[in-house]
Amino acid sequence: MKNNTNKIKILIAEDDIFLVDVFKVKFESKNFEVKVALDGEQVIKALKDYEPTVILLDILMPNMDGFETLKALKKNPKWRKIPVIVTTNLSQSSDQEKAMKLGADDYLVKSNTSLETIVKKILFYSKSEEA
Amino acid sequence: MDNDQGKYHDDLKSVQATNTALIKELRRFRAAAEQSIEMMVFTDPEGIVFWTNKATERITGFTVEETIGKKAGVLWGKLMPKEWYAKLWHTIKVEKKMFVSEIENHRKSGVRFWSTITIYPLLDDNHEIEFFISTQRDITKERDIDRMKTDFISIASHQMRTPLTAMKWLLEIIANGDLGQLTNKQLEAILDVEKSNNRMIELVNGLLNISRIESGRMIVDPKLVDLNWLIEDVKNDLLGEFEERNHNLTVNINKEIPKIMIDPKLIREVLNNVLTNSNKYTPHGGSVTIDVTQLENDIEFKVSDTGYGIPTNELPKIFERFYRGSNVIKLETNGTGLGLYLSKIIIESSGGKIWIDSIEGKGTQVTFTIPKSGMKAKKGEVSLSQ
């Protein structure tokens, strides 16, 4: 990344404010920088002047859902390389296949995943991003 | 003469009486058939309609006049797969037996409807088909209600997931000490809450899967699968859990076993459920064996364990949803009672069979078969939780 600090920057796309708060507590304790988007439109808006290391992307969101957001991200050459970890409660294998086809790097079902696992995935994708 | 005439007169009277009785009976049956809420259609051996009742008009929208002299299928049918019609004609025309099924048709307006259908051939003294009688009951409403029920379970369970996730993560943060150090007692309590929360999540996942599979809208996507690979993969997934309980897990599978067309996700779910049960319900240090054998028409999977077993009187109930063996509920609180139920639906809808042999205190053997001909593809709308 071009930025001057090595701080990992997470863009969280999540419409459930309660979950956003929990994410924040955990990620800030890991010294990650956190920015929040409540739907896909806000993700696109945020990316205009924010370069996250990793995007955490929910699927079921108002206005512009995660699938649409993924499409938009992968269409744009500037955003295409940002790793996207889908964190959703859509658990069907068909949803996972759809997201992976659209270019998601990982797919985690929230209720079956610990925060610690999400942190590990973020660290993993931040490293592959640097390399 | 007088006597003869008298006899003739008497005979005539008795014939007339019989006729009157017959006509009376015919009228009764005719009225019953006319007024039946089920649609009834009589056709000749070629399927040309010669009589229908009022319900037929009410349900299909085609009047009696419009129907008579035509083939019923031409008017409101042709929506089922070819094989379905082939099976129907084979059953009633070749085997000359009753055919029972569910069928989707369309009304005159084009709107589709579902009904249960029975068709049976009426045979003459030479065992030749005289005509066919078909009765159908419109079950569109029942199906809609069923769908609503399934959708409700699905939506409700799905809605529960977000708050359950929030709880899961907050408990994790607290247990981790991120919000301050806990006393041992506090930590113990938090871990107990975490366990309960995880059980609830498991239950919600189970319910979602059940509602999807019961909806009949499950995608079946068969691929040519090497069973050696599938078993190895499932085994690797569960290895950690088996090691935790110190079990010996053995696989006996012939390397030459033919590849079969199955949906690996569905069969994996079955293997996962059965193996997880064996792991959970076998005391530490036991052994679990998977045998895969080729039979004449099927591939047989057998999972045997040296576990707690199932009380004999409970065996008939073991595939019911939410049922859990009375001997293990106390030993292992974690469990939803949905695994075997789900497995049974998957196997039976794949054309296979599943059964259990068990001796309490000795162990359990779960056997299931899949036809070598494989599973049939189905375009659905839903799939299992991965």
Side-chain angles (χ1 to χ4, degrees):
Chain A
M1 301 290 301
K2 278 175 253 157
N3 15 53
N4 23 22
T5 64
N6 283 327
K7 210 171 182 184
I8 292 173
K9 295 169 157 192
I10 318 286
L11 177 59
I12 303 171
E14 171 64 65
D15 64 321
D16 191 280
I17 299 175
F18 205 50
L19 288 188
V20 167
D21 283 343
V22 187
F23 272 139
K24 272 188 172 167
V25 171
K26 187 70 190 179
F27 294 162
E28 279 164 7
S29 82
K30 295 283 169 186
N31 208 23
F32 299 164
E33 189 182 298
V34 176
K35 193 171 176 80
V36 178
L38 296 173
D39 61 36
E41 282 174 5
Q42 289 190 19
V43 170
I44 302 300
K45 222 164 142 190
L47 285 175
K48 300 239 153 88
D49 52 11
Y50 189 72
E51 286 184 47
T53 329
V54 174
I55 298 174
L56 284 194
L57 181 66
D58 187 18
I59 300 281
L60 291 180
M61 294 182 294
N63 303 321
M64 184 177 181
D65 72 11
F67 291 128
E68 289 305 314
T69 313
L70 255 177
K71 276 184 211 162
L73 289 176
K74 295 301 162 188
K75 246 197 264 168
N76 186 314
K78 251 177 77 187
W79 303 335
R80 193 181 292 155
K81 285 194 179 146
I82 308 170
V84 178
I85 304 173
V86 171
T87 46
T88 175
N89 267 331
L90 289 187
S91 61
Q92 293 185 59
S93 46
S94 44
D95 294 317
Q96 179 178 20
E97 279 159 23
K98 186 173 171 190
M100 298 310 271
K101 255 184 209 157
L102 288 173
D105 294 270
D106 221 314
Y107 192 97
L108 303 173
V109 176
K110 286 188 279 202
S111 63
N112 301 345
T113 311
S114 67
L115 274 178
E116 204 49 53
T117 304
I118 298 178
V119 168
K120 274 185 197 150
K121 293 273 185 187
I122 290 172
L123 291 172
F124 174 80
Y125 286 106
S126 322
K127 270 181 204 141
S128 58
E129 173 72 354
E130 278 164 21
Chain B
M1 261 321 237
D2 271 4
N3 254 352
D4 277 356
Q5 235 174 6
K7 190 173 180 293
Y8 174 76
H9 203 74
D10 283 351
D11 281 352
L12 197 67
K13 250 187 168 170
S14 108
V15 168
Q16 272 171 345
T18 314
N19 276 352
T20 315
L22 275 176
I23 288 167
K24 221 174 172 180
E25 195 170 327
L26 189 69
R27 272 206 194 125
R28 251 200 328 251
F29 278 108
R30 200 176 177 115
E34 282 285 3
Q35 302 305 329
S36 160
I37 54 159
E38 298 191 357
M39 60 185 264
M40 296 177 94
V41 176
F42 293 9
T43 76
D44 69 13
E46 301 312 311
I48 309 276
V49 178
F50 65 84
W51 188 87
T52 72
N53 66 351
K54 284 184 183 140
T56 308
E57 187 174 330
R58 203 172 53 241
I59 293 169
T60 66
F62 291 100
T63 61
V64 175
E65 293 75 35
E66 284 172 314
T67 311
I68 286 172
K70 303 224 177 66
K71 278 198 169 186
V74 175
L75 293 170
W76 53 72
K78 288 192 172 164
L79 290 178
M80 301 299 285
K82 261 187 198 153
E83 308 88 64
W84 190 92
Y85 293 106
K87 193 174 172 207
L88 153 70
W89 285 109
H90 188 85
T91 310
I92 60 174
K93 240 183 162 165
V94 181
E95 293 174 20
K96 298 180 181 170
K97 282 185 182 156
M98 171 146 77
F99 176 81
V100 184
S101 185
E102 286 188 3
I103 182 174
E104 187 177 27
N105 284 320
H106 58 84
R107 305 185 209 274
K108 196 179 174 185
S109 61
V111 175
R112 294 180 173 201
F113 67 100
W114 275 94
S115 52
T116 53
I117 182 168
T118 43
I119 307 182
Y120 50 99
L122 219 87
L123 306 177
D124 62 18
D125 295 339
N126 299 322
H127 207 67
E128 293 298 325
I129 294 161
E130 214 166 325
F131 53 90
F132 294 118
I133 303 176
S134 139
T135 61
Q136 285 188 53
R137 191 168 63 86
D138 191 338
I139 53 162
T140 314
K141 251 189 207 143
E142 282 97 320
R143 280 179 78 105
D144 284 350
I145 291 169
D146 217 46
R147 192 171 172 133
M148 278 162 66
K149 181 201 79 184
T150 315
D151 285 351
F152 174 76
I153 295 175
S154 168
I155 292 165
S157 326
H158 198 82
Q159 288 302 319
M160 280 191 262
R161 278 186 152 172
T162 304
L164 284 170
T165 306
M167 280 191 255
K168 179 187 173 74
W169 289 349
L170 279 171
L171 289 165
E172 189 188 333
I173 287 174
I174 298 169
N176 203 31
D178 290 348
L179 303 180
Q181 217 41 53
L182 299 179
T183 66
N184 280 344
K185 273 194 174 164
Q186 285 169 334
L187 181 63
E188 243 172 66
I190 289 294
L191 292 179
D192 277 348
V193 182
E194 203 173 25
K195 264 186 214 155
S196 291
N197 192 59
N198 282 339
R199 265 180 77 188
M200 188 101 97
I201 290 171
E202 213 179 289
L203 192 60
V204 163
N205 288 343
L207 277 175
L208 271 167
N209 276 341
I210 296 284
S211 79
R212 286 174 193 144
I213 206 155
E214 281 185 344
S215 74
R217 287 179 276 157
M218 182 72 82
I219 301 164
V220 183
D221 182 18
K223 298 181 171 79
L224 200 59
V225 173
D226 179 351
L227 294 173
N228 282 287
W229 166 83
L230 182 72
I231 300 269
E232 197 56 33
D233 214 41
V234 173
K235 188 182 150 188
N236 285 337
D237 269 359
L238 296 172
L239 220 51
E241 286 171 42
F242 274 81
E243 272 167 10
E244 245 172 59
R245 294 181 67 92
N246 255 322
H247 293 324
N248 199 355
L249 180 61
T250 322
V251 179
N252 299 315
I253 176 169
N254 189 335
K255 298 276 173 228
E256 305 300 312
I257 210 139
K259 290 183 180 175
I260 51 171
M261 287 293 286
I262 52 170
D263 186 325
K265 280 183 219 120
L266 294 176
I267 300 307
R268 175 192 292 268
E269 176 74 20
V270 176
L271 282 164
N272 233 318
N273 284 333
V274 174
L275 285 166
T276 305
N277 280 346
S278 282
N279 182 44
K280 206 157 49 176
Y281 303 128
T282 299
H284 285 256
S287 59
V288 178
T289 315
I290 311 171
D291 291 288
V292 185
T293 26
Q294 193 183 158
L295 306 179
E296 200 183 333
N297 299 314
D298 303 295
I299 305 283
E300 187 186 81
F301 299 74
K302 203 185 282 279
V303 175
S304 322
D305 64 47
T306 55
Y308 302 119
I310 302 157
T312 314
N313 61 332
E314 293 179 29
L315 277 171
K317 289 189 240 169
I318 207 71
F319 286 105
E320 286 174 13
R321 61 181 151 179
F322 299 115
Y323 195 83
R324 299 188 63 212
S326 60
N327 55 333
V328 297
I329 285 185
K330 296 160 244 161
L331 296 164
E332 186 64 59
T333 46
N334 209 353
T336 58
L338 293 174
L340 280 178
Y341 173 70
L342 194 64
S343 303
K344 189 179 160 79
I345 303 184
I346 293 175
I347 292 301
E348 289 183 349
S349 62
S350 310
K353 288 196 176 77
I354 182 164
W355 66 94
I356 287 196
D357 301 294
S358 184
I359 299 170
E360 197 178 359
K362 286 250 161 118
T364 301
Q365 198 171 59
V366 182
T367 317
F368 64 90
T369 60
I370 306 172
K372 274 190 208 164
S373 52
M375 293 162 77
K376 282 201 184 86
K378 200 175 139 219
K379 274 193 189 136
E381 297 151 49
V382 292
S383 49
L384 288 181
S385 284
Q386 36 90 12

